[in-house]
Short mmCIF file of all heavy atoms in Angstrom, two decimals:
data_model
loop_
_atom_site.label_atom_id
_atom_site.label_comp_id
_atom_site.label_asym_id
_atom_site.label_seq_id
_atom_site.Cartn_x
_atom_site.Cartn_y
_atom_site.Cartn_z
N ILE A 17 104.30 117.25 88.94
CA ILE A 17 103.26 116.24 88.71
C ILE A 17 103.33 115.71 87.29
O ILE A 17 103.16 114.51 87.04
CB ILE A 17 101.87 116.83 89.02
CG1 ILE A 17 101.75 117.14 90.51
CG2 ILE A 17 100.77 115.87 88.58
CD1 ILE A 17 100.48 117.87 90.88
N ALA A 18 103.63 116.60 86.33
CA ALA A 18 103.68 116.20 84.93
C ALA A 18 104.78 115.17 84.66
O ALA A 18 104.67 114.37 83.72
CB ALA A 18 103.88 117.42 84.03
N GLN A 19 105.83 115.18 85.45
CA GLN A 19 106.91 114.21 85.29
C GLN A 19 106.56 112.83 85.85
O GLN A 19 107.20 111.84 85.49
CB GLN A 19 108.19 114.72 85.97
CG GLN A 19 108.82 115.91 85.31
CD GLN A 19 109.25 115.63 83.88
OE1 GLN A 19 109.83 114.58 83.58
NE2 GLN A 19 108.95 116.54 82.98
N CYS A 20 105.58 112.78 86.73
CA CYS A 20 105.23 111.51 87.36
C CYS A 20 104.54 110.57 86.36
O CYS A 20 103.86 111.02 85.43
CB CYS A 20 104.31 111.75 88.56
SG CYS A 20 105.09 112.63 89.93
N PHE A 21 104.70 109.29 86.58
CA PHE A 21 104.11 108.29 85.70
C PHE A 21 102.61 108.14 85.92
O PHE A 21 101.87 107.71 85.03
CB PHE A 21 104.78 106.93 85.93
CG PHE A 21 106.22 106.87 85.55
CD1 PHE A 21 107.21 107.19 86.47
CD2 PHE A 21 106.60 106.49 84.27
CE1 PHE A 21 108.56 107.12 86.12
CE2 PHE A 21 107.94 106.43 83.90
CZ PHE A 21 108.92 106.75 84.84
N SER A 22 102.15 108.47 87.13
CA SER A 22 100.75 108.32 87.50
C SER A 22 100.53 109.08 88.80
O SER A 22 101.49 109.56 89.41
CB SER A 22 100.38 106.84 87.69
OG SER A 22 101.11 106.30 88.80
N CYS A 23 99.30 109.16 89.22
CA CYS A 23 98.98 109.74 90.53
C CYS A 23 98.27 108.70 91.39
O CYS A 23 97.56 107.83 90.88
CB CYS A 23 98.07 110.96 90.38
SG CYS A 23 98.90 112.41 89.69
N LEU A 24 98.49 108.79 92.69
CA LEU A 24 97.80 107.92 93.64
C LEU A 24 96.41 108.46 93.92
O LEU A 24 96.09 109.63 93.70
CB LEU A 24 98.58 107.86 94.95
CG LEU A 24 100.01 107.32 94.91
CD1 LEU A 24 100.66 107.47 96.29
CD2 LEU A 24 100.04 105.86 94.46
N THR A 25 95.57 107.58 94.46
CA THR A 25 94.29 107.99 95.03
C THR A 25 94.38 107.89 96.55
O THR A 25 95.21 107.12 97.08
CB THR A 25 93.14 107.11 94.53
OG1 THR A 25 93.37 105.76 94.97
CG2 THR A 25 93.06 107.13 93.00
N VAL A 26 93.54 108.63 97.23
CA VAL A 26 93.58 108.63 98.70
C VAL A 26 93.41 107.23 99.29
O VAL A 26 94.13 106.86 100.24
CB VAL A 26 92.52 109.61 99.25
CG1 VAL A 26 92.31 109.40 100.75
CG2 VAL A 26 92.95 111.06 98.99
N PRO A 27 92.50 106.38 98.79
CA PRO A 27 92.36 105.04 99.40
C PRO A 27 93.61 104.17 99.31
O PRO A 27 93.74 103.20 100.07
CB PRO A 27 91.20 104.42 98.61
CG PRO A 27 90.42 105.58 98.11
CD PRO A 27 91.45 106.63 97.79
N GLN A 28 94.53 104.49 98.40
CA GLN A 28 95.74 103.69 98.28
C GLN A 28 96.73 103.93 99.41
O GLN A 28 97.64 103.13 99.61
CB GLN A 28 96.46 104.00 96.95
CG GLN A 28 95.77 103.47 95.72
CD GLN A 28 96.51 103.85 94.46
OE1 GLN A 28 96.18 104.84 93.80
NE2 GLN A 28 97.54 103.08 94.10
N VAL A 29 96.60 105.03 100.12
CA VAL A 29 97.63 105.50 101.04
C VAL A 29 97.24 105.28 102.49
O VAL A 29 96.11 105.56 102.90
CB VAL A 29 97.91 107.00 100.81
CG1 VAL A 29 98.97 107.51 101.80
CG2 VAL A 29 98.36 107.26 99.37
N ILE A 30 98.20 104.78 103.27
CA ILE A 30 98.08 104.72 104.73
C ILE A 30 99.28 105.45 105.31
O ILE A 30 100.42 105.10 105.03
CB ILE A 30 98.03 103.28 105.25
CG1 ILE A 30 96.79 102.56 104.71
CG2 ILE A 30 98.03 103.26 106.77
CD1 ILE A 30 96.74 101.08 105.09
N LEU A 31 99.03 106.47 106.10
CA LEU A 31 100.08 107.26 106.75
C LEU A 31 100.27 106.70 108.14
O LEU A 31 99.36 106.76 108.98
CB LEU A 31 99.66 108.72 106.78
CG LEU A 31 100.63 109.74 107.38
CD1 LEU A 31 101.96 109.72 106.66
CD2 LEU A 31 100.02 111.15 107.30
N ALA A 32 101.45 106.15 108.41
CA ALA A 32 101.67 105.40 109.65
C ALA A 32 102.77 106.02 110.50
O ALA A 32 103.83 106.35 110.01
CB ALA A 32 102.04 103.94 109.32
N GLY A 33 102.47 106.15 111.80
CA GLY A 33 103.47 106.65 112.74
C GLY A 33 103.59 108.15 112.80
O GLY A 33 104.49 108.68 113.44
N VAL A 34 102.68 108.86 112.13
CA VAL A 34 102.75 110.32 112.08
C VAL A 34 102.43 110.91 113.45
O VAL A 34 101.55 110.42 114.16
CB VAL A 34 101.80 110.88 111.00
CG1 VAL A 34 100.33 110.60 111.35
CG2 VAL A 34 102.02 112.35 110.77
N ARG A 35 103.17 111.95 113.83
CA ARG A 35 102.93 112.59 115.12
C ARG A 35 103.33 114.06 115.13
O ARG A 35 103.36 114.69 116.19
CB ARG A 35 103.66 111.83 116.24
CG ARG A 35 105.13 111.58 115.97
CD ARG A 35 105.67 110.48 116.86
NE ARG A 35 107.11 110.33 116.73
CZ ARG A 35 107.71 109.62 115.79
NH1 ARG A 35 106.98 109.00 114.88
NH2 ARG A 35 109.03 109.54 115.75
N GLU A 36 103.64 114.62 113.96
CA GLU A 36 103.93 116.04 113.87
C GLU A 36 103.41 116.56 112.54
O GLU A 36 104.04 116.35 111.50
CB GLU A 36 105.44 116.29 114.00
CG GLU A 36 105.80 117.77 114.11
CD GLU A 36 107.27 117.98 114.45
OE1 GLU A 36 108.10 117.93 113.52
OE2 GLU A 36 107.58 118.17 115.64
N LEU A 37 102.26 117.23 112.59
CA LEU A 37 101.60 117.72 111.38
C LEU A 37 101.49 119.24 111.42
O LEU A 37 101.24 119.82 112.48
CB LEU A 37 100.20 117.12 111.26
CG LEU A 37 100.10 115.62 111.02
CD1 LEU A 37 98.66 115.16 111.20
CD2 LEU A 37 100.59 115.26 109.62
N ASP A 38 101.65 119.86 110.25
CA ASP A 38 101.30 121.27 110.12
C ASP A 38 99.78 121.39 110.01
O ASP A 38 99.10 120.45 109.58
CB ASP A 38 101.97 121.87 108.88
CG ASP A 38 103.49 121.91 109.00
OD1 ASP A 38 103.98 122.15 110.11
OD2 ASP A 38 104.17 121.68 107.98
N LEU A 39 99.26 122.53 110.36
CA LEU A 39 97.81 122.73 110.34
C LEU A 39 97.20 122.48 108.96
O LEU A 39 96.15 121.82 108.87
CB LEU A 39 97.47 124.15 110.84
CG LEU A 39 95.98 124.44 111.06
CD1 LEU A 39 95.39 123.49 112.10
CD2 LEU A 39 95.81 125.90 111.53
N PRO A 40 97.82 122.95 107.87
CA PRO A 40 97.24 122.63 106.55
C PRO A 40 97.21 121.12 106.27
O PRO A 40 96.31 120.65 105.56
CB PRO A 40 98.17 123.35 105.57
CG PRO A 40 98.79 124.46 106.36
CD PRO A 40 98.96 123.90 107.74
N GLU A 41 98.18 120.38 106.79
CA GLU A 41 98.17 118.93 106.62
C GLU A 41 97.01 118.31 107.38
O GLU A 41 96.35 117.37 106.89
CB GLU A 41 99.50 118.34 107.09
CG GLU A 41 100.69 118.75 106.25
CD GLU A 41 102.00 118.17 106.76
OE1 GLU A 41 102.32 118.39 107.95
OE2 GLU A 41 102.68 117.49 105.98
N GLU A 42 96.76 118.79 108.59
CA GLU A 42 95.61 118.30 109.37
C GLU A 42 94.31 118.54 108.62
O GLU A 42 93.43 117.67 108.57
CB GLU A 42 95.58 118.97 110.74
CG GLU A 42 96.74 118.59 111.64
CD GLU A 42 96.68 119.30 112.99
OE1 GLU A 42 95.75 120.11 113.19
OE2 GLU A 42 97.56 119.04 113.84
N HIS A 43 94.19 119.71 108.02
CA HIS A 43 92.99 120.03 107.25
C HIS A 43 92.87 119.10 106.05
O HIS A 43 91.76 118.62 105.74
CB HIS A 43 93.03 121.48 106.78
CG HIS A 43 92.84 122.47 107.88
ND1 HIS A 43 93.21 123.80 107.78
CD2 HIS A 43 92.32 122.33 109.13
CE1 HIS A 43 92.92 124.43 108.90
NE2 HIS A 43 92.39 123.56 109.74
N PHE A 44 93.98 118.84 105.36
CA PHE A 44 93.93 117.97 104.19
C PHE A 44 93.49 116.56 104.58
O PHE A 44 92.66 115.94 103.89
CB PHE A 44 95.30 117.92 103.51
CG PHE A 44 95.33 117.01 102.31
CD1 PHE A 44 94.88 117.45 101.08
CD2 PHE A 44 95.80 115.71 102.41
CE1 PHE A 44 94.89 116.61 99.96
CE2 PHE A 44 95.82 114.86 101.31
CZ PHE A 44 95.36 115.33 100.09
N ILE A 45 94.03 116.04 105.67
CA ILE A 45 93.66 114.70 106.11
C ILE A 45 92.17 114.63 106.44
O ILE A 45 91.47 113.69 106.05
CB ILE A 45 94.52 114.30 107.33
CG1 ILE A 45 95.96 114.03 106.89
CG2 ILE A 45 93.95 113.05 108.02
CD1 ILE A 45 96.94 113.88 108.02
N LYS A 46 91.69 115.63 107.14
CA LYS A 46 90.27 115.65 107.52
C LYS A 46 89.37 115.74 106.30
O LYS A 46 88.36 115.02 106.20
CB LYS A 46 90.01 116.83 108.46
CG LYS A 46 88.58 116.89 108.97
CD LYS A 46 88.40 118.03 109.96
CE LYS A 46 86.97 118.08 110.49
NZ LYS A 46 86.78 119.19 111.47
N GLU A 47 89.72 116.61 105.36
CA GLU A 47 88.87 116.81 104.19
C GLU A 47 88.93 115.64 103.21
O GLU A 47 87.94 115.31 102.56
CB GLU A 47 89.28 118.10 103.48
CG GLU A 47 88.96 119.35 104.29
CD GLU A 47 89.56 120.61 103.68
OE1 GLU A 47 90.18 120.52 102.60
OE2 GLU A 47 89.41 121.69 104.30
N SER A 48 90.09 115.01 103.08
CA SER A 48 90.26 113.94 102.10
C SER A 48 89.87 112.57 102.64
O SER A 48 89.56 111.66 101.87
CB SER A 48 91.72 113.88 101.63
OG SER A 48 92.58 113.46 102.69
N GLY A 49 89.91 112.41 103.96
CA GLY A 49 89.65 111.10 104.55
C GLY A 49 90.83 110.16 104.48
O GLY A 49 90.68 108.94 104.66
N LEU A 50 92.02 110.69 104.25
CA LEU A 50 93.22 109.85 104.19
C LEU A 50 93.41 109.09 105.50
O LEU A 50 93.26 109.66 106.59
CB LEU A 50 94.45 110.71 103.88
CG LEU A 50 95.74 109.99 103.54
CD1 LEU A 50 96.52 110.77 102.50
CD2 LEU A 50 96.62 109.81 104.77
N GLN A 51 93.73 107.82 105.40
CA GLN A 51 93.84 106.97 106.59
C GLN A 51 95.15 107.22 107.33
O GLN A 51 96.23 107.21 106.73
CB GLN A 51 93.75 105.49 106.19
CG GLN A 51 93.75 104.56 107.39
CD GLN A 51 93.56 103.11 106.99
OE1 GLN A 51 93.42 102.80 105.80
NE2 GLN A 51 93.56 102.21 107.96
N VAL A 52 95.05 107.43 108.63
CA VAL A 52 96.21 107.66 109.49
C VAL A 52 96.21 106.61 110.59
O VAL A 52 95.19 106.34 111.23
CB VAL A 52 96.16 109.07 110.11
CG1 VAL A 52 97.31 109.25 111.09
CG2 VAL A 52 96.21 110.13 109.03
N ILE A 53 97.38 106.01 110.81
CA ILE A 53 97.57 105.04 111.90
C ILE A 53 98.60 105.61 112.85
O ILE A 53 99.73 105.90 112.46
CB ILE A 53 98.02 103.67 111.35
CG1 ILE A 53 96.94 103.08 110.44
CG2 ILE A 53 98.33 102.71 112.49
CD1 ILE A 53 97.35 101.80 109.76
N THR A 54 98.23 105.77 114.09
CA THR A 54 99.12 106.37 115.08
C THR A 54 100.13 105.35 115.58
O THR A 54 100.00 104.14 115.35
CB THR A 54 98.32 106.89 116.27
OG1 THR A 54 97.71 105.78 116.96
CG2 THR A 54 97.24 107.88 115.83
N VAL A 55 101.13 105.84 116.31
CA VAL A 55 102.12 104.94 116.92
C VAL A 55 101.43 103.98 117.88
O VAL A 55 101.74 102.78 117.90
CB VAL A 55 103.21 105.76 117.65
CG1 VAL A 55 104.13 104.84 118.45
CG2 VAL A 55 104.02 106.57 116.65
N ASP A 56 100.51 104.47 118.66
CA ASP A 56 99.80 103.58 119.61
C ASP A 56 99.02 102.51 118.87
O ASP A 56 99.01 101.34 119.31
CB ASP A 56 98.85 104.41 120.48
CG ASP A 56 99.58 105.23 121.53
OD1 ASP A 56 100.76 104.91 121.81
OD2 ASP A 56 98.98 106.19 122.06
N GLN A 57 98.39 102.85 117.78
CA GLN A 57 97.65 101.86 117.01
C GLN A 57 98.58 100.83 116.39
O GLN A 57 98.26 99.63 116.34
CB GLN A 57 96.82 102.56 115.92
CG GLN A 57 95.64 103.33 116.46
CD GLN A 57 94.97 104.19 115.40
OE1 GLN A 57 95.63 104.78 114.54
NE2 GLN A 57 93.65 104.26 115.44
N LEU A 58 99.74 101.28 115.93
CA LEU A 58 100.73 100.34 115.40
C LEU A 58 101.17 99.36 116.47
O LEU A 58 101.34 98.16 116.22
CB LEU A 58 101.95 101.10 114.87
CG LEU A 58 101.83 101.77 113.52
CD1 LEU A 58 103.00 102.71 113.29
CD2 LEU A 58 101.77 100.75 112.40
N ARG A 59 101.33 99.88 117.66
CA ARG A 59 101.80 99.05 118.77
C ARG A 59 100.74 98.05 119.22
O ARG A 59 101.04 96.91 119.57
CB ARG A 59 102.20 99.96 119.93
CG ARG A 59 102.79 99.25 121.14
CD ARG A 59 103.36 100.24 122.11
NE ARG A 59 104.55 100.90 121.56
CZ ARG A 59 104.70 102.21 121.44
NH1 ARG A 59 103.74 103.02 121.85
NH2 ARG A 59 105.81 102.71 120.93
N GLU A 60 99.49 98.49 119.17
CA GLU A 60 98.42 97.67 119.73
C GLU A 60 97.97 96.56 118.79
O GLU A 60 97.58 95.49 119.24
CB GLU A 60 97.21 98.57 120.07
CG GLU A 60 97.48 99.49 121.25
CD GLU A 60 96.44 100.59 121.38
OE1 GLU A 60 95.46 100.58 120.58
OE2 GLU A 60 96.59 101.46 122.25
N SER A 61 97.99 96.80 117.47
CA SER A 61 97.42 95.81 116.57
C SER A 61 98.04 95.87 115.19
O SER A 61 97.52 96.54 114.28
CB SER A 61 95.90 95.98 116.47
OG SER A 61 95.35 94.99 115.62
N ARG A 62 99.15 95.18 115.01
CA ARG A 62 99.74 95.09 113.68
C ARG A 62 98.82 94.31 112.74
O ARG A 62 98.73 94.60 111.56
CB ARG A 62 101.11 94.42 113.75
CG ARG A 62 102.17 95.23 114.45
CD ARG A 62 103.52 94.56 114.36
NE ARG A 62 103.49 93.21 114.91
CZ ARG A 62 103.67 92.92 116.18
NH1 ARG A 62 103.90 93.88 117.05
NH2 ARG A 62 103.64 91.68 116.61
#
């Protein structure tokens, strides 16, 4: 992290097409409110 120029905030990120998550990742998404767009959502409404 110290080498990075900056850090992102959760509202900046959209995770798209995800369909294989580890349980800790599921917990992080739920707790942080990170936006996830499924394959079906991508297909239905670009």
Side-chain angles (χ1 to χ4, degrees):
I17 294 173
Q19 291 299 316
C20 293
F21 294 90
S22 65
C23 289
L24 299 174
T25 63
V26 167
Q28 288 178 264
V29 178
I30 297 175
L31 182 57
V34 65
R35 51 198 187 276
E36 188 171 83
L37 293 169
D38 294 323
L39 188 59
E41 294 179 304
E42 293 179 359
H43 289 161
F44 179 82
I45 289 169
K46 183 176 180 180
E47 292 171 3
S48 67
L50 190 145
Q51 184 176 359
V52 175
I53 297 175
T54 66
V55 172
D56 286 342
Q57 289 171 322
L58 282 168
R59 184 170 292 124
E60 290 166 4
S61 182
R62 292 185 303 273

